[in-house]
Amino acid sequence: MIRRVAAVLGAALLTALLAWSPAQAAGYRYWSFWERTGDRWTYATQGPSTARPDDGSVQGFRFSVSADSADAARPRGTAVFTAICAGVPERDGAKRVALVLDFGTAADAPSGESPPARRTACARVPSDATTAEALAAVAKPLRYGSDALLCAIAGYPERGCGEQVSTTTGGRPAPGPAEPGADDDGAGPSVGLLAGGGAVVLLGAAAVVRARRRGRE
């Protein structure tokens, strides 16, 4: 009887712990490319090496971990062409492209790297220039992969290019193993939770023992 109760309570504890654990999914760490339409960002339908924005366009790049375009994080902050390109006058045969460069958060950064602060820039380039050429004019060094995937803007990140990483269902990178002495950051069940669960099992078994003793008296 005692073993049966302990087994049931232990199974209940295991079920609770599994339900608590965040689900894992596949994501990719990369620079996403966005176009500003009115007051909204829309995911670009072509790459920066083929897109040819008009004068007065606003283009954005955001570094983050996401599963696909529907899950990708948008550039943060305001993006107003007149504010970004206020000090860059028009010129014949050239166009001005406002760029928003959002290097993402520390949670999305590759191990050992810290994201630079978000910034904007106004690129004045030939009228037939692509977004990639506008980006190269104001945010070197750029780094591309063998498949022409944009890997780094202004040298960030130093390594990696669209690598797959595990994420939680919320889209954030899954935390790695905690270092010795590290504070509990929600990456796994705390010692208190495990100890409390074990205590529940022991208390349940003890209650059965007491009940059986009272029945014999």
Side-chain angles (χ1 to χ4, degrees):
M1 179 65 177
I2 296 176
R3 291 180 180 177
R4 186 182 307 165
V5 172
V8 171
L9 292 174
L13 172 62
L14 179 60
T15 300
L17 292 176
L18 290 175
W20 176 92
S21 300
Q24 300 293 309
Y28 298 88
R29 181 181 284 118
Y30 69 103
W31 280 100
S32 56
F33 173 36
W34 300 80
E35 298 174 335
R36 190 78 171 179
T37 303
D39 60 352
R40 298 182 61 186
W41 287 112
T42 57
Y43 201 90
T45 57
Q46 55 184 318
S49 61
T50 57
R52 297 182 186 276
D54 296 326
D55 179 73
S57 296
V58 179
Q59 311 265 274
F61 292 86
R62 170 70 187 266
F63 188 78
S64 66
V65 174
S66 58
D68 51 38
S69 59
D71 180 55
R74 294 170 172 77
R76 296 167 295 176
T78 58
V80 180
F81 174 81
T82 53
I84 297 173
C85 290
V88 182
E90 294 183 61
R91 180 179 296 176
D92 290 341
K95 63 183 176 184
R96 297 162 300 162
V97 180
L99 296 169
V100 177
L101 309 178
D102 189 337
F103 296 84
T105 66
D108 290 325
S111 178
E113 297 195 52
S114 298
R118 171 192 175 276
R119 64 186 176 93
T120 61
C122 184
R124 185 166 57 194
V125 291
S127 56
D128 63 346
T130 64
T131 300
E133 291 170 324
L135 188 62
V138 296
K140 290 182 177 179
L142 305 180
R143 179 166 56 86
Y144 288 90
S146 58
D147 54 358
L149 178 67
L150 179 61
C151 303
I153 295 177
Y156 181 82
E158 295 180 2
R159 301 172 300 278
C161 189
E163 65 272 21
Q164 188 176 35
V165 296
S166 61
T167 66
T168 64
T169 51
R172 297 183 59 189
E179 297 180 1
D183 293 333
D184 178 25
D185 60 357
S190 66
V191 173
L193 176 60
L194 293 175
V200 169
V201 175
L202 293 177
L203 289 172
V208 173
V209 172
R210 289 195 298 270
R212 293 185 64 181
R213 286 178 177 175
R214 284 197 299 269
R216 293 172 180 173
E217 293 177 352

